[in-house]
């Protein structure tokens, strides 16, 4: 199946998949640069390892200057999570939305999501996965934000599956929630095997699992109409 990278991007889908971005000011650019460094720290040490002090040491800024941007450590942690989500949108969602609807887009979404979690250039991997592990049993605003982001991500996958059904690539009756559940499971397994166990075959195994998942729900091939030779 050919994936066309120049498919039109409709406004509804963009708003569904991606967080709105306001026009960046100089102050916002400075804040984004600080958050880049904070995100790097959080990926290595976890959100619990991210403090105003560790960020001040990494950026060379004063603690009072950082408090002026974020107000509290918890505000900083929440801002880092949102910053990570925006990077995910830039690197995974928006490129996938340029692929034609249906199975090509669903596959592009999965492959980019997979690469996001396995990228070796980013110590610590996906901030959303690590935060889910840190805060799964810890009530509070950070856990609430992590839950909201994961549900938003699950909604993205479900929406892509529904489009594949509408395009006739997946069978009617396919359960988008089940497909999204299994996609997440594959990504989490690949993250564990690739980043913790150092399995160089993690990406290939994940793609094999995704192909098997899609094959179980693929719509029957439409018969080719023979041209009359009369």
């Amino acid at each position: 199946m050919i994936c066309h990278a120049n498919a039109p991007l409709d406004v509804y889908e963009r708003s569904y998949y991606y967080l709105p971005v306001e026009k960046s000011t100089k102050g916002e650019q400075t804040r984004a640069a600080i958050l880049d460094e904070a995100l790097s720290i959080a990926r290595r040490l976890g959100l619990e390892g991210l403090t105003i002090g560790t960020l001040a040491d990494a950026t060379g800024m004063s603690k009072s200057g950082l408090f002026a941007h974020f107000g509290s450590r918890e505000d900083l942690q929440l801002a880092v999570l949102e910053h990570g989500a925006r990077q995910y949108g830039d690197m995974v969602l928006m490129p996938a939305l340029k692929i034609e609807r249906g199975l090509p887009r669903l596959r592009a979404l999965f492959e980019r999501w997979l690469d996001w979690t396995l990228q070796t250039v980013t110590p610590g991997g996906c901030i959303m996965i690590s935060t889910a592990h840190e805060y799964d049993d810890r009530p509070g605003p950070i856990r609430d934000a992590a839950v909201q982001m994961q549900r938003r991500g699950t909604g993205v996958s479900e929406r892509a599956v529904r489009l594949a059904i509408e395009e006739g690539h997946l069978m009617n009756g396919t359960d988008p929630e089940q497909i999204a559940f299994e996609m997440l499971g594959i990504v989490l397994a690949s993250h564990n095997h690739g980043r913790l166990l150092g399995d160089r075959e993690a990406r290939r195994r994940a793609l094999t699992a995704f192909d098997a998942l899609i094959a179980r729900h693929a719509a029957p091939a439409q018969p080719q109409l023979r041209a009359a030779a009369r």
Side-chain angles (χ1 to χ4, degrees), residues 2-230:
I2 299 172
C3 297
H4 300 293
N6 58 353
L9 187 65
D10 81 46
V11 175
Y12 170 75
E13 288 181 82
R14 188 185 191 285
S15 65
Y16 187 94
Y17 280 90
Y18 192 56
L19 298 169
V21 179
E22 297 179 357
K23 187 175 180 180
S24 189
T25 64
K26 185 175 180 179
E28 286 295 322
Q29 290 171 2
T30 299
R31 179 184 170 90
I34 296 170
L35 286 172
D36 283 340
E37 188 61 45
L39 182 57
S40 178
I41 294 171
R43 280 173 167 153
R44 294 194 311 271
L45 305 179
L47 276 182
E48 279 300 291
L50 175 64
T51 67
I52 296 292
T54 57
L55 185 56
D57 291 340
T59 60
M61 294 182 65
S62 67
K63 291 183 180 180
S64 60
L66 291 173
F67 273 116
H69 278 280
F70 302 106
S72 70
R73 180 190 179 203
E74 186 173 87
D75 288 342
L76 169 63
Q77 292 169 319
L78 291 170
V80 166
L81 269 183
E82 192 70 21
H83 191 62
R86 287 189 183 280
Q87 286 192 358
Y88 178 86
D90 288 337
M91 298 176 67
V92 178
L93 302 186
M94 292 308 292
L97 282 176
K98 295 177 182 178
I99 305 301
E100 66 177 304
R101 292 183 178 202
L103 190 53
R105 184 177 296 179
L106 181 62
R107 185 178 300 278
L109 174 65
F110 179 79
E111 289 184 1
R112 287 183 174 277
W113 183 14
L114 187 63
D115 290 340
W116 165 266
T117 65
L118 292 177
Q119 55 183 323
T120 56
V121 296
T122 307
C126 177
I127 186 65
M128 277 76 87
I129 291 177
S130 62
T131 300
H133 290 162
E134 277 189 277
Y135 289 88
D136 57 355
D137 290 321
R138 298 176 58 182
I142 295 176
R143 183 183 186 278
D144 292 345
V147 168
Q148 182 184 35
M149 287 177 185
Q150 187 157 119
R151 285 178 175 163
R152 189 162 61 199
T154 299
V156 167
S157 298
E158 292 174 5
R159 170 67 176 163
V161 173
R162 289 189 183 95
L163 288 174
I165 297 170
E166 291 173 10
E167 294 295 323
H169 300 155
L170 297 178
M171 291 185 292
N172 289 329
T174 296
D175 182 355
E177 293 183 16
Q178 181 65 31
I179 300 293
F181 178 90
E182 294 188 45
M183 286 173 62
L184 175 59
I186 295 169
V187 168
L188 292 176
S190 67
H191 186 276
N192 180 78
H193 278 249
R195 302 198 71 94
L196 179 63
L197 303 181
D199 183 358
R200 296 183 179 180
E201 296 295 307
R203 187 179 190 277
R204 181 188 63 79
R205 295 183 193 283
L207 292 174
T208 297
F210 177 78
D211 287 341
L213 171 63
I214 296 304
R216 293 200 304 272
H217 300 276
Q222 297 297 318
Q224 297 279 338
L225 293 177
R226 295 181 179 178
R230 296 189 181 122

